[in-house]
């Protein structure tokens, strides 16, 4: 997966040391006087019982996210397996979820979890069948919308608190879910999708176990990620201003609104960068446009291209930033996913995150 391989060797059946210890124990058992036989087992040099530590914040959120994904997968499968939707938009939305949700679930598994699931699938126990779907899996489009809203909310909260290496794919899931749930809501005309929270509302929601606190990435990654995000936000603000000048009515106002959003974000990122000793990127008066001048085709493609790029930039920044600096980019990634609704028919299950085909274990 995304985490390093477990350095611990897999347990073998019988090691030489184990054989010797077993032989020694047998000899000691034979030497026990008959009068002591009823006194119970005698342990000589036996190890203390191992009690695993309680799960950390990463594992707690990972478990809950996988549980919600399992429900969403089962609900999607049920809808797809029923009567084929007559609406092409609904069929496309469900088809996209069929591909994306399992990929997101796999992306969250530790290497050890993935290996266990693969072993169980390739070598099932006698009489073993596929696990039944969760009892609380959604059974209709409205229920599936509600489950995806729950997934979006949980991924948003998790991204604020978990380790940087896990926060990046989880923030990507939050953004993708914002895109996919709005597509499903529009196509099915079912359920409700609440508005996104404000950045200041994305706050820690759980107690962090003292035994296993989360970690953040390297300072150099944070510096480079926040510098790039500033550059791209200033550029997006300029491009949308140019597009507004070419537009009229509602389109013009939409571009002006986005231009202001991007410039506000760039300024906020710059203030954070200055406080944290990161590179500060200033606004330029003019930026180069694709091809020098915009034709109608390029102008029509730019909003989606800018949104995709910024979504990836902010997902990367979530994974690199200190915990308190993440809310701006968690929200920004989902807002850029909103821009893509109706402007793209496909989006990577984990935008900006490469998932290895053969996951490696982190010992979880």
């Amino acid at each position: 997966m995304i985490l390093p391989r477990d350095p611990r060797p897999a347990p073998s059946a019988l090691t030489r040391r184990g054989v010797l210890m077993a032989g020694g124990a047998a000899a000691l058992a034979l030497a026990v006087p008959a009068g002591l036989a009823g006194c119970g087992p005698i342990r000589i040099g036996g190890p203390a019982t191992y009690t695993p530590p309680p799960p950390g914040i990463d594992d707690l959120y990972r478990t809950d996210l996988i549980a919600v994904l399992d429900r969403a997968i089962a609900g999607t499968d049920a809808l797809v397996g029923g009567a084929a939707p007559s609406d092409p938009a609904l069929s496309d939305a469900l088809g996209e979820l069929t591909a994306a949700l399992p990929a997101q679930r796999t992306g969250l598994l530790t290497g050890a979890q993935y290996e266990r699931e693969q072993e169980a699938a390739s070598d099932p126990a006698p009489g073993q069948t596929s696990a039944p779907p969760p009892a609380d899996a959604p059974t209709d489009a409205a229920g599936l919308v509600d489950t995806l809203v729950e997934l979006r909310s949980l991924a948003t909260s998790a991204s604020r608190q978990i380790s940087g290496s896990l926060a990046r794919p989880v923030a990507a899931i939050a953004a993708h879910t914002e895109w996919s749930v709005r597509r499903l809501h529009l196509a099915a005309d079912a359920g409700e999708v609440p508005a996104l929270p404000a950045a200041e509302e994305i706050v820690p929601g759980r107690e962090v176990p003292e035994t296993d606190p989360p970690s953040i990435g390297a300072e150099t990654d944070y510096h480079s990620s926040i510098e790039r995000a500033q550059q791209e936000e200033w550029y997006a603000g300029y491009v949308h201003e140019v597009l507004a000048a070419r537009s009229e009515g509602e389109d013009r106002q939409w571009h002006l609104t986005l231009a202001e959003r991007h410039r506000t974000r760039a300024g906020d990122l710059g203030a954070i960068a200055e406080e944290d000793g990161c590179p500060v990127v200033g606004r330029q008066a003019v930026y180069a446009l694709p091809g020098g001048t915009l034709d109608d085709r390029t102008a029509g493609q730019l909003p989606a291209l800018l949104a995709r790029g910024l979504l990836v930039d902010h997902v990367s920044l979530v994974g690199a930033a200190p915990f308190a600096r993440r809310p701006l980019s968690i929200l920004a990634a989902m807002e850029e996913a909103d821009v893509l609704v109706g402007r793209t028919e496909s989006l990577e299950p984990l935008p900006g995150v490469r998932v290895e085909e053969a996951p490696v274990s982190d010992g979880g």
Side-chain angles (χ1 to χ4, degrees):
M1 291 291 48
I2 307 159
L3 303 173
R5 180 170 294 277
D6 189 347
R8 299 170 295 182
S12 57
L14 267 183
T15 63
R16 183 176 69 87
R17 178 180 176 85
V19 172
L20 292 175
M21 290 180 67
L28 287 168
L30 290 174
V32 174
L36 296 178
C39 297
I42 297 175
R43 176 163 42 185
I44 299 179
T49 302
Y50 172 71
T51 302
I57 192 71
D58 290 357
D59 290 327
L60 291 171
Y61 269 118
R62 189 198 312 271
T63 298
D64 290 348
L65 286 164
I66 290 174
V68 179
L69 279 165
D70 283 340
R71 287 162 45 208
I73 291 169
T76 302
D77 290 345
L79 288 175
V80 172
S86 57
D87 184 352
L90 179 57
S91 181
D92 288 346
L94 291 173
E96 182 275 330
L97 286 168
T98 299
L101 292 171
Q104 292 170 352
R105 185 185 187 280
T106 298
L108 289 181
L109 295 175
T110 66
Q113 289 173 327
Y114 180 85
E115 289 167 3
R116 286 195 294 268
E117 291 192 1
Q118 292 296 102
E119 289 172 1
S122 61
D123 186 20
Q128 178 179 326
T129 59
S130 300
D136 53 351
T139 57
D140 56 19
L144 182 55
V145 167
D146 290 343
T147 303
L148 292 174
V149 168
E150 182 182 351
L151 176 61
R152 184 192 74 176
S153 177
L154 184 59
T156 299
S157 298
S159 299
R160 172 64 177 78
Q161 288 191 272
I162 55 181
S163 295
S165 58
L166 184 58
R168 185 172 177 177
V170 171
I173 290 173
H176 185 281
T177 305
E178 170 64 10
W179 175 76
S180 60
V181 73
R182 292 200 179 276
R183 291 183 76 225
L184 178 62
H185 173 64
L186 290 171
D189 191 22
E192 294 184 6
V193 182
L196 291 171
E200 55 269 20
E201 296 174 327
I202 303 176
V203 296
R206 297 187 177 181
E207 292 292 329
V208 177
E210 295 181 2
T211 55
D212 190 10
S215 60
I216 59 174
E219 185 179 81
T220 54
D221 293 337
Y222 176 40
H223 285 202
S224 62
S225 296
I226 197 169
E227 181 179 18
R228 177 173 176 80
Q230 291 173 79
Q231 292 169 341
E232 297 306 312
E233 289 289 0
W234 285 127
Y235 181 73
Y238 175 80
V239 171
H240 276 290
E241 186 175 61
V242 172
L243 293 174
R246 298 167 53 98
S247 308
E248 297 179 352
E250 292 183 358
D251 286 345
R252 173 182 170 80
Q253 186 55 51
W254 182 72
H255 285 299
L256 289 174
T257 299
L258 288 186
E260 181 61 26
R261 173 196 284 179
H262 292 304
R263 286 171 174 162
T264 298
R265 277 193 206 146
D268 291 343
L269 288 169
I272 291 172
E274 186 172 13
E275 289 180 11
D276 292 356
C278 304
V280 177
V281 179
R283 174 181 172 182
Q284 298 180 24
V286 178
Y287 292 85
L289 296 171
T293 57
L294 293 180
D295 55 31
D296 289 342
R297 180 173 178 273
T298 302
Q301 294 173 338
L302 275 176
L305 291 173
L306 291 170
R308 278 182 179 270
L310 283 166
L311 194 164
V312 171
D313 289 337
H314 282 287
V315 164
S316 296
L317 184 49
V318 171
F323 304 107
R325 300 306 196 185
R326 294 177 181 177
L328 185 154
S329 287
I330 295 171
L331 175 60
M334 291 189 288
E335 288 177 335
E336 295 310 311
D338 266 346
V339 174
L340 293 172
V341 176
R343 290 181 174 80
T344 184
E345 295 303 314
S346 64
L347 184 63
E348 300 86 346
L350 294 164
V353 179
R354 183 177 65 85
V355 179
E356 297 179 7
E357 293 184 4
V360 294
S361 175
D362 69 341

